[in-house]
Structure formats: structure tokens, C-alpha cells
Amino acid sequence: MSKNVAIIGIGQTKFGELWDYSLRDLMAEAGTNALKDAGVEKNEIDYLSVGNMSAGRFVGQEHVGALAADVLGIKAPAIRCEAACASGSVAFRSALHAVQSGNCETAMVLGVEKMTDVHGAGALTSLAAAGDQEWEASIGLTFAGLYALMARRHMHEYGTTQEQLAMVSVVNHENGKNNPYAQFRNSISVEDVLKSSMVADPLRLLDCSPITDGAAAVIITSEKNAKKTQNPVWVLGSAQSSDTLALHDRKSFTELLATKQAVKDVFVKTGLTQKSIDLIEVHDCFSINQIMAMEDLGFCKKGMGGKFVESGGIKLNGEIPTNTLGGLKASGHPVGATGVRQLCDLTKQLRGTAPNQVKNAKKALNLNIGGSGATAVINILGVEPNAS
Amino acid sequence: MSKNVAIIGIGQTKFGELWDYSLRDLMAEAGTNALKDAGVEKNEIDYLSVGNMSAGRFVGQEHVGALAADVLGIKAPAIRCEAACASGSVAFRSALHAVQSGNCETAMVLGVEKMTDVHGAGALTSLAAAGDQEWEASIGLTFAGLYALMARRHMHEYGTTQEQLAMVSVVNHENGKNNPYAQFRNSISVEDVLKSSMVADPLRLLDCSPITDGAAAVIITSEKNAKKTQNPVWVLGSAQSSDTLALHDRKSFTELLATKQAVKDVFVKTGLTQKSIDLIEVHDCFSINQIMAMEDLGFCKKGMGGKFVESGGIKLNGEIPTNTLGGLKASGHPVGATGVRQLCDLTKQLRGTAPNQVKNAKKALNLNIGGSGATAVINILGVEPNAS
């Protein structure tokens, strides 16, 4: 059993098109908010892990671990971790390992992406670098295109409908309305989604998460320190798995094997099952991905994701409240920040202080996907630590 | 005391302008060589950490942890770690923490950079992203320019000469001659350096490490597994520190505070001193950096680095054999690979199988710098583990 570690502070910026924020402004605000929330001084941070996919291409800046340390006045070891849209989650795991190894006590995980000031290549070209450059991006396959291939096949194999896809975005927008940090806080209807412009058939504009600037941070610490704090949220388990980078090498287009492996691993490690979980955050970069996530995580049967969504299973009052503060679609998707933002949102729920509070939330799970599924990270958080 | 971990396998590609190698070719060759050297099967690798600075800008590919896993047929968690030219070292530390945390047993660390197929921006522009984009790179300050400022100030404060700077490259080229993996295997003279074209006054072409394609890998494992192998090389200690990203925020241009902090930390952790160390690898991206490294690491007094080099202190038969297989200058500097290549070279020495073998080498240290010194990583390796 790995050592217990807890989240003792969270912070984020508003997510959106933040024209007056630079990369360093985003880092400064989210990091400072997390320090304040944790009641921790910057000199108590002895490990800093930054999740960032592509500041090099977006704003011409690599070495963003050191930049974050500089901006926040932290002298501790700083590292940038990247796994495309799961960058925030691999940064979290890097910090988790550092604390569990005994090499440090208290770590900050800072996820950030400044996407609207595009330096050099366009945002979609930069994002395509999360797929296989030689086999996919170089021939013009965008991420909407990749997920459109999965959506079309899912519709073909399981009869999933465009209305069911649309319903994912409708629910996420409904949940985002009460989230002051969300990029979009407006209700949308299935008709709105179906009337929105086509991006990559069958995915329309409102099936797609937006281009977003934003940062989110969590502070984690060892069990000894966490027990001295008011509302620690415990990391009950974490798992990560990998799949082929290119879609064409996979046996199926309608499931993500990395997700299936990671969820199996995390449940074996923790001894928990789907029934133990009170709410979840999943990776709805495109509506089809949330439908596959519900299936791959085992919250409904394979192929039944569309019907599960249609029946209200993902709603706040449904079988498993999902993306309760808006998910990627409504909160926004600053890629390096998303995995950390998911942990912030789950922490709010487990503290009992979320805008759309799920009653008696004791255990929660997040799924963060990198690229078209080559990386999947799953964490389970809870209000009580694992037995030592 | 952290748990003991050992290096049980090393592998690399030749370093150079490898026009017939892609990013994935480099990964495949170095990773496969390391697996073979360790006698480990790919399915025994349960953590894969990739050090890479800027594949996004060099070849249009992010998500390179997953790509490496894909290329090598590894399904384990894969992560890319970045800290500019210290990317290989932060990848190593990420893997070290993962093993020491008990979450995995055997990890591969793969450093890689494909620099000669530049996608979009030029190589120097891409490298400048390791400095401060807003305050340095955006106004045209290159890395040669940054280190030239340090060199000029070191000459002013301490009387360091261009001949002393040149001697660094002369020794590194001499050491590289017997290294079959080195980019340059020719002798050069002080006169050659002084006659080479000026890059950024006072740094000339032969004061500068080259643009290089290459990959290097090490396989590390827990004490339990390592003790079953033939020639484990033990990680006695590891430390990392951060400094401001921009040079203008530092009190001094003639020392790297991150190096001074990291070396202090690693000696406190291990209870060792400079006298315990038989040979070292330092970060000679520019000749001035090796002179500062000798001083900041405490192998000579502050300001005496030039004289120390002139007196032969860094030679194979000198006080502290340094960069015994050519360093960055002669081996080449594929930025994400360099920190891992240093560990490979020290492992060869500690196994007693290096081309320029240092007699009775028992303990060795490496220093890998990110950017202009915002990141410094130091590891100490040895032939015997720390007492448990």
C-alpha cells in the first residue's frame, strides 16, 4: 500500500479567453490562490510540478517548471510534465510519487495553458501534436477529426445518435451555470447543438470543448502534515495506462483501452468498485469521449453510453453525477490545466463546498485523457484516508 | 534515507547529425539497447519517463512519453518531463521517485532530442525558449548570448582568459576521441578555438556545444531486483534546485546559485564531500559553463576555474577527471538526452568498462543544467549502495 497523501489546497483562475493574462499571470494567480487556500507559505513547498502541454508552441516558452518557480518565488525542484491533455494529471502523479518517496513533504501541482496567444502555428495545429505527427497530424487529421472517427463508428456499432451526443454538452452546460470559474455559463438545448456548425462530421461546434486560457493548482502533503489541517481530501488511489499514439494501430475505435486498463488497476489497488463512487469527472473534450468514458469506466455497459446519457444517468440527480461543475465543455479546456481542474472540482465536492453540491459525497473519481487515448489517468479521492 | 535504487542498464544512439533517424528511430534504438544491456523485457518496465525539451517545436510532436511507449511496445504509465537542457535529469528523478515511492519496480528513463529536422522555428529560436521568452528570447537573446554575458563578466571579475575557456573544449575533444558515440572525435588546439568564428563575444564556435540528434536511456530498479544483477550502479543521492529564469534577476552572473544549492543538498543527503568523488560529468554547453561548474561544485575556489582548467585539473589524469567521454562539446548535446547520457557515461566508468577508464572509480557525480541555470540537477552514483 502506498503512503497516504492528501490535497490540502486548491486554486484556479477563471477559465476563458483571457486576453489580459500572460502565461506567468495565469501561473501566479492559480498558484497563489492554492497557497492561500492551503494556508501554506511558498517556502514550505519542496516540490513543484507543472502540467503544461505546449507553451513552446503556444507562447514560445519551454522550461515552464522553472518559470512557475520564479513567478511564485519557490526555490524548490521544479519540473514540467507533459502527456498532451493529461499533462495536469501526470504532473499530479509526479508530485504524488515525490511525496510518497519521502523525498519531499509538500508539493504544488500547477496545470496551465495559455492557448489564445498563438505563437507560430495555429491552436489546432499545436493541438494536433498530441496525436501522431507522422501518421496523423502531418496529413491534416485534427483532434475533432480523430474523435469524429470514433463517434461515427460508435454510431454505426451501437446506434448512438447525434441527439445523445448533444445531450452530453447540454448537461455539462447546465452544470457550468453555477460555476464562477467556467468559460461558458449559458444553458444550451439539444436543438442548439444540432444547429451549430459542423466541425468534423458527426461532431458539431457544441460537441467540442473550447480553446481556453487558464490555470489550476492543488497542494498535496504527507499524511503527517495533512492530519493537522481542517479538510484534507485524501488520494485513495491513482493509476495511469498507455495505448498506441495513432488510432490506426488500435483494434477498436469505440473504446479507449488505456482507460479500461487504468480503471481496472485503480480499483484493484483500492479495493473499491464503481458502486463506491459518489461522483466523477470525465474527459469530455468531445461529446463522444464522455459517452465512451461512461462505458470504459464501467458506469454503464459497452455501447449503452448514449442511452445512459439520454436517460439522465450523468445528471446531478442521476445514477452518477458527472462533470458537476461543467466539465471540459462548459468549464473550458486549457489542456495542461484540465487534469488539475478536475481535482479542484472533486475537492470542492468532497469538502461539501461545491456550487452544485452532491449530497453525502464521500468518494470521487476523475478520468483525464491525453490525445486520442494514448494516455489515461484515473485518481480516486475520498474524505477518509486509506487504512495505514 | 530514501530507498536504494540502482541503474541496471544503459543504452544510447550515436550522437550527431543523424539525417536518417526520426524522433521515433532514436527512441527505439536507445530504449532497445538499454533493455538489452539490462537483460530486462519490455513488459517488466512499469514506468517510462521521457526527457525531451522541445519535440513540439523541433518536429511537431508533443505527447512523446506515449510515443516512446508505443515505439517500444511498453504499456506502462508514460510521462514526458521537461526542464530545458536538464530534461533528461528531471525525467530520471521522476522515475527515481516512482520507484522509491513503491508504486513501481523497474523504470526506463529515455532522453531524446531530434534537433536537425527543425519544424517551424529555427533551432536557435527553439532553444531560446529555455530562457525567459518575455524578457530574453523575444528581444533576440540567444543561449550563446546569455552565456557570453556570463563569460565576459567572469573574465572581468576573475581575469579568466579566452585561452582558459578554449582549453575546456580542447580537453573535452581529447576525451571524445575514444568515445564511439561522440559527435566529434577529432583533436582541437587552443589555437583552433581562438581562430574559430565568433558566435557571441567572447564565445567562439568551438566554445559552443553543437546541435545534435540523439537519445540515451537508463533502466533503474529497486534494491531487491538490483541485487540479483551483475553490475548494478547505485544512486547514492539526487538533488535539484531552481533559480530565476531570467539572468537579470540574479545577483551574480559568475555563479549559478541553483548548482551551489543542489551540490550542498546532495552532499548533506549523502554525507559525502568533493573528496569522495572520483570523477564527474558537468554541463559544458558553453566553455564558460564548465569553468563555473568546477567552481560552483566546489572542486576549485570561486574565480579559479580558468586556472584550474589551465593547470590540467579536469584532465583524465588531473585532480578530478571531468567529462571523460567528451562532455556536451564533443559527445554532442541533444538537449533532452544529455542528462541521461551523463548517467550512461558515469555508469560505464563505475562498471570499469569506459573507453577512457578512470582507475578505481567508486563514486561519480553529474551536473546537468537547464537553461542559463534556472534548473540544476546533481546525482551521485556509486559501486556500493547506501547503508539501509
Side-chain angles (χ1 to χ4, degrees):
Chain A
M1 184 70 74
S2 301
K3 286 185 190 167
N4 281 321
V5 169
I7 295 174
I8 59 163
I10 59 173
Q12 71 168 94
T13 65
K14 183 166 170 34
F15 281 9
E17 294 184 13
L18 307 178
W19 301 105
D20 50 354
Y21 277 67
S22 68
L23 179 69
R24 56 211 310 146
D25 294 335
L26 294 169
M27 290 172 158
E29 187 167 310
T32 305
N33 286 346
L35 287 170
K36 203 171 161 185
D37 183 59
V40 159
E41 299 293 329
K42 63 188 181 185
N43 60 15
E44 295 176 70
I45 300 295
D46 53 10
Y47 191 84
L48 173 59
S49 180
V50 175
N52 175 264
M53 173 179 160
S54 204
R57 299 187 83 183
F58 285 127
V59 294
Q61 180 69 67
E62 310 281 5
H63 211 178
V64 293
L67 176 61
D70 191 3
V71 166
L72 291 162
I74 290 171
K75 296 288 175 192
I79 176 175
R80 174 243 189 143
C81 301
E82 186 262 329
C85 307
S87 296
S89 289
V90 294
F92 175 72
R93 284 171 52 82
S94 158
L96 186 66
H97 294 160
V99 176
Q100 288 178 332
S101 73
N103 287 293
C104 75
E105 281 288 323
T106 303
M108 178 186 287
V109 184
L110 178 61
V112 63
E113 210 81 48
K114 174 67 191 170
M115 301 177 73
T116 59
D117 288 349
V118 176
H119 180 100
L124 294 185
T125 306
S126 294
L127 289 172
D132 192 312
Q133 169 62 22
E134 291 183 39
W135 290 98
E136 294 174 340
S138 67
I139 52 166
L141 192 47
T142 63
F143 261 78
L146 282 162
Y147 278 101
L149 291 169
M150 300 190 221
R152 182 57 73 196
R153 186 71 197 175
H154 205 279
M155 293 165 83
H156 174 76
E157 284 186 26
Y158 301 115
T160 303
T161 66
Q162 290 207 284
E163 287 75 10
Q164 290 166 347
L165 290 170
M167 187 64 78
V168 170
S169 298
V170 170
V171 173
N172 287 330
H173 268 250
E174 205 58 34
N175 292 349
K177 275 170 69 179
N178 290 326
N179 180 0
Y181 298 103
Q183 182 164 6
F184 300 121
R185 301 183 62 186
N186 60 315
S187 294
I188 58 172
S189 66
V190 168
E191 293 66 35
D192 291 333
V193 181
L194 297 182
K195 274 190 230 161
S196 64
S197 53
M198 188 64 84
V199 175
D201 194 2
L203 300 177
R204 293 175 177 273
L205 185 66
L206 293 178
D207 286 296
C208 308
S209 60
I211 303 290
T212 309
D213 303 323
V218 300
I219 292 173
I220 62 173
T221 195
S222 63
E223 179 164 10
K224 189 186 66 176
N225 291 330
K227 287 203 163 163
K228 296 174 198 159
T229 66
Q230 289 293 320
N231 282 305
V233 168
W234 299 91
V235 183
L236 305 185
S238 177
Q240 181 184 343
S241 191
S242 307
D243 198 357
T244 65
L245 195 56
L247 214 56
H248 67 235
D249 283 327
R250 303 189 195 155
K251 284 189 184 155
S252 167
F253 275 22
T254 56
E255 61 184 6
L256 299 185
L257 285 182
T259 302
K260 294 180 80 171
Q261 185 64 48
V263 76
K264 189 176 159 191
D265 291 348
V266 82
F267 281 145
V268 167
K269 282 183 194 179
T270 56
L272 300 172
T273 68
Q274 285 81 355
K275 288 188 180 163
S276 326
I277 306 296
D278 299 308
L279 75 151
I280 63 177
E281 283 285 322
V282 302
H283 197 89
D284 58 309
C285 52
F286 299 94
S287 52
I288 182 62
N289 209 11
Q290 181 160 344
I291 286 179
M292 291 196 299
M294 305 314 294
E295 299 170 357
D296 294 339
L297 289 173
F299 288 96
C300 65
K301 285 192 183 160
K302 191 69 224 165
M304 298 298 285
K307 291 208 175 71
F308 187 77
V309 168
E310 195 173 21
S311 73
I314 62 171
K315 288 186 178 178
L316 290 176
N317 60 358
E319 286 177 52
I320 182 78
T322 304
N323 295 346
T324 64
L325 295 175
L328 284 64
K329 176 66 194 81
S331 289
H333 182 28
V335 287
T338 285
V340 186
R341 191 273 306 156
Q342 291 182 329
L343 295 173
C344 290
D345 288 356
L346 293 184
T347 298
K348 288 174 194 169
Q349 286 285 2
L350 294 173
R351 285 176 175 178
T353 59
N356 297 320
Q357 183 61 46
V358 173
K359 280 184 193 163
N360 290 317
K362 304 283 187 203
K363 293 189 180 72
L365 173 152
N366 81 308
L367 167 66
N368 187 198
I369 298 290
S372 62
T375 300
V377 180
I378 296 176
N379 300 293
I380 299 178
L381 306 181
V383 295
E384 297 292 340
N386 288 323
S388 310
Chain B
M1 183 71 73
S2 300
K3 285 187 192 166
N4 281 321
V5 170
I7 295 174
I8 59 164
I10 59 173
Q12 70 168 97
T13 64
K14 183 163 171 32
F15 281 9
E17 294 184 11
L18 307 180
W19 303 106
D20 49 354
Y21 278 66
S22 67
L23 178 70
R24 56 211 312 147
D25 293 335
L26 294 169
M27 290 171 157
E29 188 168 306
T32 305
N33 286 347
L35 287 169
K36 202 170 161 185
D37 182 59
V40 158
E41 299 293 327
K42 62 188 181 185
N43 59 17
E44 295 176 69
I45 300 295
D46 52 12
Y47 190 83
L48 172 60
S49 180
V50 174
N52 175 265
M53 173 180 160
S54 203
R57 298 187 84 183
F58 285 126
V59 294
Q61 179 70 67
E62 310 282 5
H63 212 178
V64 292
L67 175 62
D70 190 2
V71 166
L72 290 162
I74 290 171
K75 295 288 174 192
I79 176 176
R80 173 240 188 148
C81 301
E82 186 262 330
C85 308
S87 296
S89 288
V90 293
F92 176 70
R93 283 171 53 83
S94 157
L96 186 66
H97 294 160
V99 175
Q100 288 179 331
S101 74
N103 286 293
C104 75
E105 281 289 323
T106 303
M108 178 186 287
V109 184
L110 177 62
V112 63
E113 210 79 50
K114 174 67 189 172
M115 300 177 74
T116 59
D117 287 350
V118 176
H119 179 99
L124 294 185
T125 306
S126 294
L127 289 172
D132 192 313
Q133 168 62 22
E134 292 183 38
W135 289 97
E136 295 175 336
S138 66
I139 53 167
L141 192 47
T142 63
F143 261 78
L146 282 162
Y147 278 100
L149 291 169
M150 300 190 221
R152 184 54 75 194
R153 186 72 197 173
H154 204 279
M155 294 166 83
H156 175 74
E157 285 185 27
Y158 302 115
T160 304
T161 66
Q162 290 208 284
E163 287 75 10
Q164 289 165 348
L165 290 169
M167 187 64 77
V168 170
S169 298
V170 170
V171 173
N172 287 331
H173 268 251
E174 205 55 35
N175 292 350
K177 274 169 69 178
N178 290 326
N179 179 1
Y181 298 104
Q183 184 165 4
F184 300 121
R185 301 183 63 186
N186 59 314
S187 294
I188 57 173
S189 66
V190 168
E191 292 67 37
D192 290 335
V193 181
L194 298 181
K195 274 191 234 159
S196 65
S197 53
M198 189 63 85
V199 175
D201 194 1
L203 300 177
R204 293 177 176 275
L205 184 65
L206 293 178
D207 286 296
C208 308
S209 61
I211 301 292
T212 310
D213 302 323
V218 300
I219 292 173
I220 63 174
T221 195
S222 63
E223 180 164 9
K224 189 185 65 178
N225 291 331
K227 287 204 162 163
K228 296 177 198 156
T229 67
Q230 289 293 321
N231 282 306
V233 167
W234 299 90
V235 183
L236 305 185
S238 177
Q240 182 185 345
S241 191
S242 306
D243 198 357
T244 66
L245 195 56
L247 214 54
H248 67 236
D249 282 327
R250 302 189 196 158
K251 284 188 187 156
S252 167
F253 275 22
T254 57
E255 61 183 9
L256 299 185
L257 285 182
T259 302
K260 293 179 82 172
Q261 185 63 48
V263 76
K264 189 177 159 189
D265 291 348
V266 81
F267 281 145
V268 167
K269 281 184 195 178
T270 57
L272 299 173
T273 68
Q274 284 82 355
K275 289 188 180 163
S276 327
I277 307 295
D278 300 308
L279 75 152
I280 63 176
E281 283 286 320
V282 302
H283 196 88
D284 59 309
C285 52
F286 299 94
S287 52
I288 182 62
N289 209 11
Q290 181 160 345
I291 285 179
M292 291 196 299
M294 305 314 295
E295 300 170 357
D296 294 339
L297 290 173
F299 288 97
C300 65
K301 285 191 183 161
K302 191 70 224 166
M304 299 297 286
K307 290 206 177 72
F308 186 77
V309 168
E310 195 173 20
S311 73
I314 62 170
K315 288 186 178 176
L316 291 176
N317 60 357
E319 287 177 51
I320 183 76
T322 305
N323 294 346
T324 65
L325 296 174
L328 284 64
K329 175 66 194 80
S331 288
H333 182 29
V335 289
T338 285
V340 186
R341 190 272 307 156
Q342 292 182 328
L343 296 172
C344 290
D345 287 357
L346 293 183
T347 299
K348 288 174 195 169
Q349 287 284 3
L350 294 172
R351 285 177 175 177
T353 59
N356 297 321
Q357 183 62 45
V358 174
K359 280 185 192 161
N360 290 317
K362 305 284 187 203
K363 291 189 180 72
L365 174 151
N366 81 308
L367 167 65
N368 188 197
I369 298 290
S372 61
T375 300
V377 180
I378 295 176
N379 301 293
I380 299 178
L381 306 182
V383 295
E384 296 292 339
N386 289 322
S388 308

